[in-house]
């Protein structure tokens, strides 16, 4: 049996194998003995110092965690397969301390999506969402991803906008072996599939996610808008011209809501292929992935709004809402690479398109609807949202000077667009005869056309120089530069058909909507088109953010078993939001410009204090910038909750100080137990609040004075084998238990004399205590987030089954009006089951997957509560879902 002499030199060598994987000497084979006659007697070492085999400390620590000093988590393709999550957002909910909001945005350690950044292969991405600068991660199907890195402690090589963490999505690259996979899936939801739903016709090609031209801005309207004048009868347009423009609007296919008896199942198709070719001294690789999905979702919801009345929350409006969404997605990834012994160059192109077509109707009481019988109203919506993302990146990595120097570079272009043509809402009031009708005078109707374009140009270069400090230790000095230029343009035009003559005959009011606004009824005697786009710069804006950064970072094992990574980042940024007045008048709000320069230090220490155990300590300073939409004084209605949003141009940056500690114990290969603590101080955190304009409620934003956030997180993964069990089926399985839990607390701090700058005050200071309750939680922060995975895998049967449980406790989604309680979301407990099995069929390798979601039938609820009174802002049954997919591998 081989032995290990625990001399100091052996210990140093073993520890360095963990800290500097490039110098690993794990399990060095014994050398051929040197003949005794050739040995120098003076050079012979004492017997107790002879090392027959070196056992490296940290042999079970996964390679990615050996190579980083930071607190990080990694998702691989194996993780995607086990959980069955079909996009990056869903997969990231399994990571310790992460939770998902609205099915798209990931919260890290209870901090909202504004405090995290998303990268694709190291390059920043733009967002097609009006309310976010962070790209929604549900746009990225797991089929195109090789893995995801979540780094929770800051290091200077990443952008300075870092509060909760950075998420780096890595696309698949050149394959080692050629492959061609084809997958088809079908699924449904018990609340949707086979049940009644609301639809509207739209166009013949809606199922492709592309409109056939039906929803294009009408030609006459486009010409009228180009004049720069408001479209309405008056000095600029005659009544006949306005009548012609109104008749150019598409009516019946986009206005008429219909009930469909049976909503069809969800379907998906994915094709992936890849191959490599040896060319001279290197290899050329190519990967191609294309995917299509067509999903349906029906919701039956209760939506209420409340108002504080004599210390009690009173209902201001209450609607029973029914909606059906048809989400159609397309994705296309192409990747080319060239690799030789010292160089790698990759060109990656990604196109993602997601279209949502929604029909929605709500019926209820609105006490701000005067003159309507019992304040009973009905609102019908037809909507179409196109989101496109295209990014192209060219990147390279090069080993120079025999590996002593590593040089990497990247350049990327990314463009996202969001187009929402013919966004329609029509209100009907209940008459004294209990008939809902629309008269165009008293009740609202509108047709909106909105466009958003967000573009990012980015480039960066990094240089790393490694030099030995001794035979077993080394020093790495890194440095780099980065540049990003993000620009956004957004515009919205609103129109309505109003009763030009003052009243509409009852027989016309009783008409079905496609007849109500037919060409015959459009004219000065009945309905006439009128543009109601707000002026003063509230309907369009231009925005930009340019950052220039440089950093230096040093990594070294300063003493045996202790390594340190320390650096500083210089970041200079100019951010602006400029309202655009569409009609030549004066601006209500002046442009906003934030010019800031930051020095952002970071340091992390890793102590490998025992075999397969290490302690990490980190401290850093980072920032969080307001998003474009939060600064833009433009109204936007979120279709998910029928809530109006309005930006606040008086916001400033958030400055954050971060502290982290984490202990990691890897007791076997792929198995571990970790625990950590984190603490954050936030100056000027951005919070959402309610702004009241007459009878109109808007959700807006403001800077709270300061806040703290702290918590602890734990993660464990353990496999169990029972080869001697009496039950053959049980004994053949390898069982997995993986769990993580994060406890977080936060406190918004308001001291005497603190002020805020709310939108309603138009830049004037107001007492912070009037808007924010001292000691309240940060928005979006849940006290408890937990995940549990319990499952098995059988190598012989080529099968795998996993139960997945996710629990997220209550969190604040928005501040109430002064004196009112916050809006609270309660995500609850979600239980899923995923089963996968590979098999041979007709000589072909096949894969079967079965996914069952929300088995406990958890509901979604968002509410306000004060004493015994409770307002349900949004509540619906999410339903239980299931899908089955079949994959053929060629």
């Amino acid at each position: 049996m081989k032995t290990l002499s625990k001399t100091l030199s052996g210990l140093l060598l073993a520890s360095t194998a963990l800290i500097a994987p490039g110098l690993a000497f794990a399990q060095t084979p014994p050398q051929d003995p040197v003949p005794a006659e050739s040995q120098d007697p003076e050079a012979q070492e004492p017997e107790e110092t002879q090392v027959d085999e070196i056992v490296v400390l940290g042999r079970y620590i996964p390679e990615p965690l050996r190579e980083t000093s930071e607190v990080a988590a990694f998702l691989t393709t194996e993780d995607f397969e086990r959980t069955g999550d079909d996009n990056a957002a869903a997969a990231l909910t399994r990571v310790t301390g992460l939770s998902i909001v609205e099915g798209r945005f990931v919260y890290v350690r209870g901090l909202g999506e504004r405090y995290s950044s998303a990268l694709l292969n190291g390059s920043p991405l733009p967002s097609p969402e009006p309310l976010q600068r962070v790209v929604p991660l549900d746009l990225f199907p797991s089929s195109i991803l090789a893995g995801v890195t979540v780094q929770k402690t800051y290091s200077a090589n990443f952008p300075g906008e870092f509060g909760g963490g950075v998420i780096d999505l890595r696309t698949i690259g050149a394959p080692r072996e050629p492959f061609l996979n084809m997958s088809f899936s079908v699924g449904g939801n018990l609340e949707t599939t086979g049940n009644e739903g609301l639809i509207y016709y739209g166009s013949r090609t809606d199922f492709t996610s592309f409109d056939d031209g039906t929803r294009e801005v009408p030609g006459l309207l486009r010409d009228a808008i180009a004049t720069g004048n408001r479209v309405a009868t008056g000095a600029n347009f005659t009544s006949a011209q306005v009548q012609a423009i109104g008749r150019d609007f598409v009516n019946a296919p986009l206005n008429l809501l219909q009930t469909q008896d049976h909503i069809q199942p969800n379907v998906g198709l994915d094709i992936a292929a890849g191959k490599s070719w040896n060319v001279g001294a290197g290899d050329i690789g190519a990967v191609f992935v294309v995917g299509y999905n067509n999903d349906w979702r029906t919701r039956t919801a209760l939506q209420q709004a409340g108002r504080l009345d004599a210390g009690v929350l009173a209902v201001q409006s209450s609607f029973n809402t029914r909606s059906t969404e048809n989400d159609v997605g397309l994705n296309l990834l192409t990747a080319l690479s060239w690799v030789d012994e010292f160089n790698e160059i990759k060109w990656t192109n990604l196109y993602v398109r997601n279209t949502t077509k929604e029909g929605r109707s709500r019926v209820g009481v609105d006490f701000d609807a005067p003159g309507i019988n019992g304040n009973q109203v009905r609102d019908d919506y037809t909507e179409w949202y196109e989101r496109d993302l295209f990014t192209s990146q060219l990147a390279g990595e090069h080993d120079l000077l025999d590996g002593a120097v590593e040089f990497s570079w990247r350049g990327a272009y990314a463009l996202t667009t969001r187009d929402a043509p013919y966004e329609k809402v029509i209100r009907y009031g209940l008459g004294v005869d209990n008939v809902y009708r629309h008269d165009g005078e008293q009740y609202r109707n509108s047709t909106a056309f909105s466009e958003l374009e967000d573009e990012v140009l980015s480039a960066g270069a990094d240089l790393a120089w490694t030099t030995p400090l001794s035979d077993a230790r080394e020093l790495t000095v890194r440095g780099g530069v980065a540049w990003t230029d993000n620009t956004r343009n957004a515009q919205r035009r609103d129109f309505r058909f109003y009763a030009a003559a003052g009243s509409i005959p009852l027989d016309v009011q009783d008409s079905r909507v496609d007849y109500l606004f037919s060409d015959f009824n459009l004219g000065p005697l009945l309905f006439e088109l009128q543009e109601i786009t707000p002026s003063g710069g509230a309907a369009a804006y231009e925005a930009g953010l340019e950052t220039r950064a440089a950093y230096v970072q040093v990594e070294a094992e300063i003493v045996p078993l202790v390594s340190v990574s320390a650096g500083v980042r210089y970041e200079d940024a100019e951010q602006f939001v400029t309202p655009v007045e569409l009609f030549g008048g004066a601006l209500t709000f002046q442009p906003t410009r934030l010019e800031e320069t930051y020095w952002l230090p970071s340091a992390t220490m890793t102590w490998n204090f025992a075999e397969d155990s290490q302690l990490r300590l980190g401290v850093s300073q980072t920032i969080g910038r307001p998003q474009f939409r939060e600064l833009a004084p433009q109204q936007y209605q979120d279709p998910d909750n029928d809530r109006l949003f309005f930006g606040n141009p008086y916001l400033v940056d958030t400055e954050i100080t971060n502290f982290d500690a984490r202990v990691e114990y890897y007791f076997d290969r792929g198995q571990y137990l970790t625990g950590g603590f984190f603490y954050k101080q936030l100056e000027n955190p951005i919070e959402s609040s309610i702004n009241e304009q007459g009878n109109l409620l808007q959700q807006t934003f403001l800077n709270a004075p300061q806040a703290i956030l702290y918590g602890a997180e734990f993660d464990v993964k353990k496999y169990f084998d029972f080869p001697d069990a009496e039950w053959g089926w049980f004994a053949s399985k390898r069982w997995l238990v993986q769990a993580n839990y994060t406890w977080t607390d936060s406190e918004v701090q308001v001291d005497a004399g603190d002020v805020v700058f709310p939108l309603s005050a138009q830049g004037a200071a107001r007492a912070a205590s009037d808007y924010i309750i001292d000691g309240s939680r940060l928005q979006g922060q849940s006290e408890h987030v937990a995940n549990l995975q319990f499952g098995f895998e059988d190598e012989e049967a080529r099968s795998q089954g996993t139960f997945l449980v996710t629990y997220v406790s209550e969190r604040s989604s928005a501040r109430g009006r002064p004196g009112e309680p916050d809006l609270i979301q309660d995500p609850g407990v979600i239980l899923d089951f995923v089963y996968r099995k590979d098999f041979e069929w007709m000589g072909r390798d096949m894969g079967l997957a079965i996914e069952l979601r929300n088995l406990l039938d958890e509901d979604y609820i968002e509410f306000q509560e004060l004493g015994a009174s409770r307002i349900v802002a949004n509540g619906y049954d999410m339903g239980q879902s299931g899908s089955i997919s079949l994959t053929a591998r060629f």
Side-chain angles (χ1 to χ4, degrees), residues 290-340:
V290 61
Y292 168 84
N293 66 275
N294 192 326
D295 299 332
W296 295 81
R297 182 182 64 185
T298 295
R299 289 176 175 172
T300 302
L302 174 63
Q303 294 179 334
Q304 297 179 322
R307 183 187 296 275
L308 198 61
D309 185 7
V312 177
L313 275 179
V315 174
Q316 184 177 354
S317 64
S318 181
F319 291 97
N320 291 313
T321 302
R322 188 182 183 192
S323 69
T324 299
E325 290 186 8
N326 181 204
D327 291 312
V328 182
L330 294 171
N331 61 83
L332 174 64
L333 172 77
T334 62
L336 294 174
S337 62
W338 180 77
V339 181
D340 68 7

Side-chain angles (χ1 to χ4, degrees), residues 181-227:
N181 299 334
M182 299 181 66
S183 176
F184 176 77
S185 65
V186 61
N189 177 279
L190 293 183
E191 289 292 310
T192 304
T193 311
N195 298 324
E196 282 190 355
L198 284 178
I199 65 168
Y200 70 96
Y201 179 77
S203 80
R204 295 169 299 173
T205 58
D206 286 356
F207 72 94
T208 68
S209 84
F210 291 91
D211 176 81
D212 66 358
T214 299
R215 295 181 180 86
E216 289 185 0
V217 177
L220 292 179
L221 177 62
R222 189 185 306 111
D223 294 340
I225 289 174
T227 67

Side-chain angles (χ1 to χ4, degrees), residues 707-724:
I708 59 172
L709 180 140
Y710 53 91
E713 55 188 18
F714 306 91
D715 199 353
V716 62
K717 183 178 181 180
K718 171 66 177 173
Y719 287 104
F720 296 91
D721 296 282
F722 303 97
D724 299 326

Side-chain angles (χ1 to χ4, degrees), residues 93-154:
T93 61
R94 317 298 178 186
V95 176
T96 308
L98 271 63
S99 59
I100 190 170
V101 177
E102 298 177 7
R104 298 178 290 172
F105 300 102
V106 173
Y107 281 27
V108 182
R109 289 175 167 176
L111 289 170
E113 78 282 348
R114 69 164 55 86
Y115 295 113
S116 300
S117 58
L119 307 174
L120 185 68
N121 298 326
S123 295
L125 290 168
S127 174
E129 294 300 315
L131 290 173
Q132 282 85 16
R133 190 167 69 243
V134 179
V135 64
L137 297 180
D138 66 324
L139 286 178
F140 300 93
S142 56
S143 60
I144 69 167
L145 298 175
V148 180
T149 299
V150 181
Q151 186 171 306
K152 299 180 184 178
T153 53
Y154 178 68

Side-chain angles (χ1 to χ4, degrees), residues 815-871:
R815 301 296 183 200
R817 285 170 291 196
E820 292 186 1
D822 292 350
L823 274 72
I824 303 296
Q825 288 180 351
D826 186 6
V829 179
I830 302 296
L831 172 63
D832 301 332
F833 175 73
V834 178
Y835 175 77
R836 297 183 178 275
K837 181 175 177 57
D838 291 342
F839 59 95
E840 297 286 337
W841 182 69
M842 297 183 64
R844 190 72 62 195
D845 191 25
M846 308 289 290
L848 174 71
I850 299 174
E851 301 174 13
L852 304 176
R853 305 290 184 181
N854 194 24
L855 293 175
L856 300 180
D857 199 17
E858 186 73 48
D859 296 340
Y860 175 89
I861 188 167
E862 183 182 20
F863 61 90
Q864 276 183 300
E865 197 167 54
L866 182 63
S869 56
R870 179 169 173 141
I871 299 295

Side-chain angles (χ1 to χ4, degrees), residues 121 171-174 336-338 344-348 393-396:
N121 298 326
T171 57
I172 58 179
L336 294 174
S337 62
W338 180 77
E344 180 179 8
I345 298 177
K346 296 173 63 177
W347 182 30
T348 305
Q393 183 198 59
L394 188 63

